[in-house]
């Protein structure tokens, strides 16, 4: 059993450990700190204590075997093909593999093992684990999870990455729980710490008000789901990957009968758009939002919005950019009346060039904008529309 130990002889009763504890697990009794049974072993108090009176002990049994090797990416595909997030993870996986001199492997399951086997030649993939089956992965999620669990236990990867799609968010926890490891969900950044060799998995925490970097030191694989659109796809000169076919018995009855499937294509074009206008609460009204849409159409750009516009019913959720919306990576982005809250910035950090228009010269969005325009975004939109119309009438 792991446990929080407070050395009461060492404790000087300074109370510095009490307030930082996120679950109020520490109390002062008779001038000494005591743990009240609520501890979640986060370790914050260990660092807070100035006299090193607090330690967290772990039994050897709880520390798993960490001598695992290789970086794996689970490939998700739909009826159209491999999802962009899978290529994003493969490119990120290649980068991590280079840092650690590891092998990069992808896992292809179901009918995709045949259909997409030749699609990874230009992404630096070393190996493909192909687990064949005559079905689409969405039809047999339990089976797919079990297949991944089986090969993970057998082949012991160091890192396993899965896209944070609806499917990936359901698949990853099943795998993590079954192989007894941790899972960092919805990551926006991954990095190998060259000193410890651990995967540093960064994701928004505490309602998006800060970014937390999480490691998994005692168990393998180090598992993360990663948000679509936050990593960059990069082609690299590479050899054709080695294909390793893995047999799996799909006949197991998981107690679920599939009655019918209804396929709906993800029509989201914002993730792929090169030029996006994003409207924030500063546009002032649903009518003005239409004006920004008009400008977007004239410029050949797509339109996204900040969350308040969805909350106000001016726009639909599918257009929301940010931590709880979608992440975008356009070449050019113009922000109209956006303050630049951290939850919004989480969705636009990959934009190449950002132009921000805001009446407040101190607005945080200006901190990340390449071009800052202090002014009324509605007036500026009207003038731009006029200028475009005039130019067209001259042609
Ligand atoms: C858990 C959580 C998740 C969240 N997820 C998201 C998310 O996914 N996406 C998201 O966007 N937000 C998200 N939010 C909300 C986020 O915290 C902000 O409240 C939101 O991004 C603010 O949107 P805004 O910039 O449009 O509005 P405001 O913060 O109200 O800013 C409006 C800006 O417009 C400027 N302005 C006013 N009038 C004009 C004018 N005429 N011309 C030019 N500028 C003008 C103002 O100076 C101001 O800077 C989340 C919050 C939480 C707690
Ligand atoms: S380890 Fe974390 S949860 Fe436990 S007492 Fe310390 S601060 Fe609180
Ligand atoms: S911070 Fe350390 S010394 Fe201070 S009360 Fe807590 S355990 Fe005792």
């Amino acid at each position: 059993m792991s446990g929080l130990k407070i050395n009461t002889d060492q404790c000087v009763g300074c109370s510095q450990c009490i307030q930082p504890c996120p679950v109020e697990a520490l109390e002062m009794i008779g001038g000494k700190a005591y743990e009240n049974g609520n501890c979640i072993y986060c370790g914050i108090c260990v660092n807070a204590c100035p006299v090193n009176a607090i330690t967290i002990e772990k039994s050897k049994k709880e520390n798993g075997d960490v001598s695992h090797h290789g970086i794996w990416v689970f490939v998700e595909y739909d009826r159209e093909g491999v999802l962009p997030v899978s290529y994003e993870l493969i490119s990120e996986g290649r980068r991590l593999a280079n840092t650690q001199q590891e092998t990069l492997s992808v896992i292809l399951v179901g009918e995709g093992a045949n259909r997409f086997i030749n699609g990874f030649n230009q992404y630096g993939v070393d190996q493909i684990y192909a687990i064949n089956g005559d079905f689409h992965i969405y039809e047999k999620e339990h089976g797919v999870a079990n297949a991944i669990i089986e090969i993970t236990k057998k082949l012991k990867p160091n890192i396993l990455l899965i896209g944070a799609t609806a499917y990936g968010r359901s698949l990853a926890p099943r795998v993590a729980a079954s192989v007894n490891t941790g899972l960092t969900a919805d990551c926006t950044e991954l990095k190998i710490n060259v000193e410890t060799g651990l995967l540093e998995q960064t994701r928004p925490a505490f309602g998006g008000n800060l970014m937390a970097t999480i490691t998994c030191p005692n168990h393998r694989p180090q598992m993360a789901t990663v948000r679509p659109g936050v990593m960059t796809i990069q082609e690299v000169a590479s050899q054709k990957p080695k294909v390793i076919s893995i047999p799996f018995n799909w006949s197991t009855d998981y107690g679920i009968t599939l009655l019918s499937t209804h396929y709906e294509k993800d029509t989201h074009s914002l993730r792929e758009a090169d030029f996006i206008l994003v409207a924030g609460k500063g546009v002032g009204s649903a009518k003005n939002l239409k004006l920004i849409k008009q400008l977007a159409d004239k410029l050949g750009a797509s339109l996204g919005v900040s969350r308040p516009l969805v909350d106000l019913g001016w726009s639909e959720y599918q257009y929301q950019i940010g931590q709880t919306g979608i992440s975008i990576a356009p070449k050019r982005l113009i922000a109209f009346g956006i303050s630049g809250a951290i939850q919004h910035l989480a969705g636009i950090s990959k934009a190449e060039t950002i132009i921000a228009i805001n009446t407040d010269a101190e607005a945080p969005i200006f901190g990340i904008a390449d071009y800052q325009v202090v002014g009324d975004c509605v007036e500026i939109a009207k003038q731009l529309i006029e200028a475009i119309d005039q130019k067209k009438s001259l042609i």
Side-chain angles (χ1 to χ4, degrees):
M1 277 285 289
S2 56
L4 183 93
K5 302 268 182 290
I6 303 177
N7 184 333
T8 43
D9 291 339
Q10 231 164 305
C11 173
V12 292
C14 68
S15 303
Q16 287 185 41
C17 55
I18 306 295
Q19 195 269 332
C21 176
V23 292
E24 297 180 353
L26 294 170
E27 291 167 21
M28 294 302 294
I29 302 171
K32 302 280 181 187
Y34 287 90
E35 196 268 309
N36 62 17
N38 292 332
C39 178
I40 54 168
Y41 311 110
C42 70
I44 292 174
C45 60
V46 176
N47 296 327
C49 177
V51 294
N52 300 326
I54 311 178
T55 49
I56 295 177
E57 288 176 6
K58 288 199 167 186
S59 69
K60 282 220 166 88
K61 202 173 154 219
E62 276 182 89
N63 287 341
D65 169 14
V66 295
S67 61
H68 292 199
H69 296 286
I71 296 175
W72 287 11
V73 174
F74 171 75
V75 175
E76 183 175 344
Y77 55 89
D78 63 13
R79 298 265 188 270
E80 310 289 315
V82 172
L83 299 195
V85 67
S86 297
Y87 292 117
E88 289 161 21
L89 289 186
I90 290 167
S91 297
E92 188 63 16
R94 184 66 263 160
R95 202 179 55 77
L96 298 173
N98 290 347
T99 317
Q100 255 192 335
Q101 321 262 295
E102 292 258 32
T103 309
L104 174 66
S105 308
V106 299
I107 313 172
L108 264 173
V109 187
E111 61 185 33
N114 279 330
R115 277 172 66 199
F116 305 116
I117 206 111
N118 294 319
F120 302 97
N121 296 351
Q122 64 273 46
Y123 298 101
V125 173
D126 299 307
Q127 296 180 151
I128 297 175
Y129 290 117
I131 310 174
N132 281 287
D134 58 354
F135 55 86
H136 191 280
I137 46 168
Y138 293 168
E139 290 166 20
K140 282 201 183 196
E141 193 187 317
H142 274 64
V144 173
N146 272 29
I148 299 171
I149 291 162
E150 193 174 296
I151 63 164
T152 301
K153 283 182 176 167
K154 208 152 98 190
L155 302 173
K156 300 180 186 301
N158 184 20
I159 292 173
L160 171 55
L161 306 178
I162 297 177
T165 57
Y167 186 78
R169 283 171 202 229
S170 170
L171 182 72
R174 288 167 200 253
V175 176
S178 296
V179 301
N180 192 28
T181 192
L183 168 69
T184 309
D186 228 9
C187 293
T188 53
E189 197 185 330
L190 298 173
K191 205 170 98 189
I192 302 278
N193 181 315
V194 282
E195 274 165 30
T196 60
L198 291 174
L199 179 67
E200 294 185 340
Q201 307 157 62
T202 302
R203 55 151 296 153
F206 294 105
N209 291 315
L210 56 87
M211 302 301 280
T213 297
I214 294 158
T215 59
C216 179
N218 299 325
H219 297 269
R220 294 293 180 273
Q222 300 167 85
M223 275 188 71
T225 60
V226 178
R227 298 192 68 173
V230 294
M231 307 293 180
T232 312
I233 299 175
Q234 202 169 9
E235 295 191 8
V236 291
S238 59
Q239 308 249 321
K240 210 170 166 204
K242 183 175 156 193
V243 177
I244 302 163
S245 283
I246 300 194
F248 183 75
N249 177 11
W250 293 106
S251 62
T252 312
D253 177 6
Y254 294 105
I256 291 177
T257 310
L258 186 73
L259 299 178
S260 66
T261 51
H262 171 71
Y263 178 66
E264 214 167 274
K265 187 175 161 13
D266 176 8
T267 49
H268 226 306
S269 59
L270 275 172
R271 282 199 192 97
E272 279 86 47
D274 276 344
F275 187 13
I276 300 179
L277 307 192
V278 187
K281 207 171 165 198
V283 301
S285 67
K287 189 172 152 233
N288 289 342
L289 179 62
K290 283 195 183 133
L291 189 86
I292 308 291
K293 171 79 175 91
Q294 208 186 331
L295 176 63
D297 290 343
K298 287 185 188 286
L299 290 169
S302 303
L303 181 68
V305 296
S306 67
R307 177 156 140 179
L309 274 61
V310 177
D311 295 342
L312 285 163
W314 298 353
S315 180
E316 286 168 41
Y317 170 69
Q318 59 169 317
Y319 300 106
Q320 180 182 316
I321 313 292
Q323 183 194 320
T324 44
I326 60 159
S327 297
I328 51 173
K331 288 196 168 57
R332 288 165 297 160
L333 183 154
I334 312 181
F336 288 78
I338 299 261
S339 59
I342 186 166
Q343 297 88 358
H344 185 80
L345 299 186
I348 63 168
S349 61
K350 296 279 169 180
E352 279 179 31
T353 304
I354 298 177
I355 303 169
I357 309 170
N358 200 303
T359 42
D360 176 6
E362 304 294 320
I365 187 87
F366 286 148
I368 63 147
D370 301 278
Y371 299 95
Q372 296 92 4
V373 182
V374 179
D376 184 334
C377 65
V378 179
E379 277 312 308
I380 291 171
K382 280 182 190 160
Q383 286 171 23
L384 284 170
I385 290 172
E386 246 177 60
I388 295 167
D389 288 347
Q390 258 177 23
K391 204 173 162 197
K392 275 195 184 143
S393 67
L394 292 175
I395 297 170

